[in-house]
Amino acid sequence: LIFSVIFILLATVAYSLAPLFMGFSTNVLADIFSAGKAEGYVTKFLSFLLLMVAAYALNAILSYIATCLIVHVTENTIYDLRKDIDKKLSKLPLNYYDTNAYGDILSRVTNDVDTVSGSLQQSIYQILNAVFTILIVFLIMVSVSGVLTIVALAIVPVAVYISAKVAKRSKVEFDKQQEKTGELNGYVEEYYGGHV
């Protein structure tokens, strides 16, 4: 996990620097047109383009490695979680199985664990990538233009407010979906499980 965090940080740095190199190459291109001659500028222009391509390529390679590491960590975690659930289910009294629908138990063991697995695989990378991107892009923005940075930061509270509203509504709907999935699993298991 520590190595994946390091690779995500390096990939984010590479990804954040690529547009900066593109901006430098655009400035050199503008200098070529304003000077009316290409002597001395072409090498600079091509070097910035190569740096940009290298940054994107490095980002792709490091992101791939980080994703592989996160998948490995997540799969081991989910394996341990499934073992712990199996131990817990074997220790539960018989009364538990009589008072709870089999579909609900099955839903928790399969669907909920799969949901945790998917969330871990995607969320770890996305959260770390987002945090690192915000920090690095903020530093680059401040170095380029302080005024534009302030304008961009003024929009952030509105975006956070809208995101919070969407997340609150999504949680309610997700809970309903999980409940219906449990009911459906129970129904299928109770009525169609023995027909195979």
Side-chain angles (χ1 to χ4, degrees):
L1 191 60
I2 291 169
F3 282 122
S4 66
V5 170
I6 292 168
F7 280 116
I8 291 170
L9 176 61
L10 295 174
T12 307
V13 168
Y15 188 76
S16 301
L17 288 177
L20 196 63
F21 294 138
M22 186 164 54
F24 291 152
S25 65
T26 305
N27 291 341
V28 171
L29 198 60
D31 291 341
I32 290 172
F33 286 119
S34 66
K37 58 181 179 173
E39 291 175 25
Y41 291 108
V42 174
T43 310
K44 238 175 161 182
F45 176 72
L46 291 176
S47 63
F48 282 130
L49 283 182
L50 286 175
L51 283 171
M52 181 186 71
V53 170
Y56 280 127
L58 188 63
N59 168 260
I61 293 167
L62 294 173
S63 295
Y64 178 76
I65 294 170
T67 302
C68 289
L69 290 171
I70 288 174
V71 166
H72 178 70
V73 169
T74 302
E75 290 303 316
N76 286 339
T77 304
I78 295 303
Y79 177 74
D80 292 341
L81 182 62
R82 287 187 194 275
K83 279 195 332 190
D84 291 344
I85 289 172
D86 184 50
K87 275 188 209 170
K88 177 71 174 177
L89 288 174
S90 66
K91 291 179 183 177
L92 289 172
L94 217 51
N95 183 30
Y96 178 81
Y97 295 104
D98 290 338
T99 55
N100 290 291
Y102 187 70
D104 286 339
I105 299 169
L106 192 63
S107 176
R108 285 196 183 99
V109 173
T110 56
N111 294 336
D112 291 356
V113 172
D114 286 342
T115 301
V116 169
S117 173
S119 298
L120 283 175
Q121 285 181 8
Q122 294 172 4
S123 298
I124 291 174
Y125 183 86
Q126 289 174 349
I127 289 170
L128 290 173
N129 188 30
V131 168
F132 291 148
T133 301
I134 288 170
L135 293 174
I136 293 165
V137 168
F138 176 75
L139 293 173
I140 292 172
M141 285 171 61
V142 168
S143 69
V144 171
S145 172
V147 175
L148 288 177
T149 304
I150 292 170
V151 170
L153 290 178
I155 299 169
V156 171
V158 175
V160 169
Y161 175 77
I162 292 171
S163 298
K165 287 290 187 187
V166 169
K168 187 176 180 183
R169 176 66 191 235
S170 297
K171 183 188 177 318
V172 172
E173 297 301 322
F174 181 74
D175 289 344
K176 287 180 187 175
Q177 177 192 358
Q178 289 301 99
E179 185 180 328
K180 293 294 182 188
T181 302
E183 289 176 14
L184 181 64
N185 282 342
Y187 181 82
V188 169
E189 189 62 36
E190 296 290 330
Y191 291 100
Y192 298 105
H195 292 291
V196 178

